[in-house]
Amino acid sequence: MRSPSRREFLSSTSLACMGVSLPEAARSASAFQSPLDRVQVAVIGFNGMGHAHLNNLVGREDVEVTHLCDIDSAVLARGAETVKNGTGKTPTGTHEFLEVVENKSIDAVIIATPHHWHCPIAIRAMQAGKDVYVEKPASHVFREGQLLIKAAKKYGRIIQHGTQMRSSEVTQAAGEVLQSGILGEVKMSKAWNVQRQKELRPQADEPMPRGVDYDRWLGPARKRTFNRNRFHRTWRAFREYGNGDLGDDGIHDVDMARWGLGVTAHPVRITAHGSRIGFRGDREFPDNMLINYQYADNKVLIYEDRLWTPYGQHGFDSGNAFYGTEGYMIFSRRGYFQVYLGKDERKGPGMGQRGRVGQPLPAHLDNFISCVRSRKPTRASEHVAHLSCALVHLGEIAFRRESVLHFNPATERFTGDDKANQMLTKEYRQPWDIPDLG
């Protein structure tokens, strides 16, 4: 039987248009009788974090990686070798993610592409009845977070956001300290990402490398000639594909700052400043950022980054501070927290060094697979993801508008700033816009 063409697929806005009913599109929780009844998983995009997911998946008895998708043949070959070495089986490889989405045998997909592809692929996967693990940030612009929530609800899908510290033992232990009340009332939190990055020197456009489908890599972004700066790894420096350091490493720390502050709504007032101090290279984002988010209850969340320093802050390149009325806690996703109490800052309960950021990955994947079976919300569900990713988007908009922005959490719109509201979304190159969700 002929598979639907790309145009035919894109014109469909429901499972029914594809000739697939919801029960046919994905197995129910009751269909998974035991860990040996494996969840069939595909990984889409795995030149970076996606390969770490592959390494964790191939060691599981309750998962089978059946399909791999990447636009680079060399990356595909490396991923296939990882799966074969771990399982003895060679997965099906493709450049075309629609072949994965349309395959009825696949239960779940892991999306670790550049940011601008996260939502377009995730929405199509959910329409086809797949559960989705999407790397951070789940949304490239604010509106995409709204659409992920809408799609998950409409199609009854499970979403896990790749903020793996939600599944960390260190986070759990630090959370117990926050809940104990020893810090008093936590009124302010701070997230930082301080590191030394390499300056990205401009590169001339050149012919596309053999085995690479660059037009597919660009996808929703505008068409252009191949440029190595706008490709593997360094794409993060450009707004068309990424969200700068705030949306790359920073989202982990912003997510933890919001978690520790205990806020479950959007901020109401945002200010931001950024500039170029250390870098003059090929990048569209500042090399330092300072953002202040104020909430309706007057709690404050602060984010800062500096990308040109060889030192960290409180001993860590990435971390958080939670400021309470009786004391404060320094926390790092590198595996550390310490409490300081009273005016003399005497040390309270702390854990010290507790491992690296990679350790939560298996636990976060385990939570996702467990929820695929149980149909319960994940630790980093679409709602959790949207609230944290929104801080990335709102902060970036405040920086670009160079003004104090007022935001209405109920309407999810800025007050009195039409240009800022236009930045909540973006234009997509056809045919890779977001499918109509009705």
Side-chain angles (χ1 to χ4, degrees):
M1 178 180 295
R2 181 181 68 88
S3 299
S5 68
R6 183 186 309 167
R7 184 176 299 276
E8 290 169 336
F9 177 86
L10 292 169
S11 67
S12 67
T13 58
S14 69
L15 293 170
C17 292
M18 296 170 57
V20 182
S21 65
L22 187 57
E24 293 172 329
R27 287 185 282 175
S28 65
S30 61
F32 299 105
Q33 299 298 326
S34 73
L36 295 180
D37 184 13
R38 296 181 172 183
V39 179
Q40 308 295 298
V41 175
V43 183
I44 303 175
F46 47 90
N47 191 47
M49 182 60 77
H51 206 100
H53 290 308
L54 270 184
N55 283 320
N56 285 307
L57 288 169
V58 297
R60 300 182 63 108
E61 292 186 351
D62 57 349
V63 169
E64 183 176 2
V65 179
T66 62
H67 290 71
L68 299 178
C69 178
D70 199 279
I71 55 81
D72 188 331
S73 295
V75 173
L76 265 179
R78 186 167 68 250
E81 183 178 6
T82 296
V83 176
K84 185 175 181 180
N85 289 341
T87 67
K89 297 181 180 179
T90 301
T92 300
T94 179
H95 285 191
E96 173 58 86
F97 80 88
L98 290 179
E99 292 180 11
V100 172
V101 167
E102 295 169 13
N103 191 306
K104 298 179 184 179
S105 70
I106 297 171
D107 303 305
V109 298
I110 294 178
I111 303 168
T113 62
H115 304 170
H116 70 303
W117 262 121
H118 285 178
C119 189
I121 295 176
I123 296 290
R124 288 171 170 85
M126 285 189 282
Q127 283 186 319
K130 275 104 176 102
D131 296 319
V132 173
Y133 183 117
V134 58
E135 265 304 326
K136 50 77 186 169
S139 51
H140 188 218
V141 291
F142 184 91
R143 174 176 171 266
E144 292 184 346
Q146 297 171 308
L147 294 176
L148 287 171
I149 291 174
K150 185 174 183 178
K153 180 178 180 180
K154 180 173 183 177
Y155 302 113
R157 296 296 92 201
I158 297 296
I159 292 183
Q160 178 80 299
H161 187 215
T163 46
Q164 64 268 12
M165 287 306 294
R166 292 274 175 169
S167 296
S168 168
E169 292 181 5
V170 178
T171 304
Q172 180 181 349
E176 292 172 359
V177 172
L178 291 170
Q179 290 296 319
S180 74
I182 193 172
L183 300 180
E185 183 182 357
V186 177
K187 293 180 174 291
M188 180 182 291
S189 67
K190 184 177 184 178
W192 69 83
N193 182 33
V194 184
Q195 56 183 279
R196 190 180 189 93
Q197 294 187 356
K198 292 182 179 180
E199 186 162 350
L200 188 62
R201 296 183 178 180
Q203 300 288 334
D205 291 349
E206 58 186 287
M208 183 170 60
R210 180 173 296 182
V212 169
D213 186 345
Y214 191 57
D215 187 67
R216 179 57 50 87
W217 186 94
L218 292 169
R222 63 189 174 96
K223 187 177 180 65
R224 60 176 298 136
T225 307
F226 178 83
N227 187 289
R228 63 179 62 251
N229 280 356
R230 295 172 178 267
F231 194 44
H232 289 333
R233 303 188 186 283
T234 49
W235 53 263
R236 293 168 174 83
F238 304 94
R239 287 194 176 92
E240 288 183 282
Y241 326 115
N243 297 89
D245 210 66
L246 172 60
D248 191 35
D249 269 0
I251 179 60
H252 290 294
D253 306 303
V254 166
D255 181 59
M256 287 288 95
R258 190 182 68 77
W259 161 80
L261 194 59
V263 290
T264 56
H266 296 303
V268 298
R269 186 175 184 270
I270 307 101
T271 59
H273 175 267
S275 66
R276 297 281 189 93
I277 297 175
F279 293 148
R280 295 293 183 268
D282 193 11
R283 59 183 290 118
E284 295 177 348
F285 294 95
D287 60 23
N288 67 96
M289 285 282 281
L290 182 61
I291 309 172
N292 184 295
Y293 308 88
Q294 180 180 327
Y295 289 85
D297 60 0
N298 289 324
K299 288 184 176 180
V300 173
L301 189 156
I302 300 169
Y303 169 80
E304 65 175 293
D305 67 35
R306 292 182 295 279
L307 309 182
W308 37 266
T309 62
Y311 49 85
Q313 190 164 302
H314 294 286
F316 296 97
D317 60 343
S318 293
N320 297 95
F322 303 107
Y323 300 103
T325 54
E326 303 297 328
Y328 66 96
M329 179 170 67
I330 301 300
F331 172 91
S332 174
R333 61 188 174 93
R334 303 310 185 194
Y336 171 93
F337 72 84
Q338 180 63 59
V339 172
Y340 301 87
L341 299 172
K343 64 180 181 180
D344 58 353
E345 295 187 342
R346 68 186 184 278
K347 282 191 175 183
M351 291 184 64
Q353 197 66 27
R354 182 67 179 273
R356 298 291 293 177
V357 67
Q359 287 188 330
L361 282 178
H364 209 49
L365 277 172
D366 185 66
N367 178 241
F368 174 60
I369 298 301
S370 296
C371 292
V372 168
R373 294 172 176 275
S374 69
R375 313 313 295 168
K376 295 179 181 179
T378 62
R379 294 190 184 109
S381 69
E382 61 276 12
H383 298 281
V384 173
H386 181 45
L387 287 173
S388 292
C389 290
L391 298 179
V392 172
H393 308 313
L394 298 180
E396 166 71 2
I397 293 171
F399 161 69
R400 294 172 67 183
R401 291 295 294 138
E402 298 183 333
S403 62
V404 177
L405 296 181
H406 297 273
F407 194 72
N408 186 328
T411 62
E412 295 192 303
R413 302 280 290 177
F414 291 105
T415 302
D417 195 324
D418 291 339
K419 289 185 178 180
N421 283 321
Q422 292 172 9
M423 294 180 185
L424 292 171
T425 187
K426 66 175 185 178
E427 293 185 3
Y428 299 80
R429 183 166 65 111
Q430 296 296 329
W432 303 119
D433 58 345
I434 304 297
D436 183 12
L437 297 177

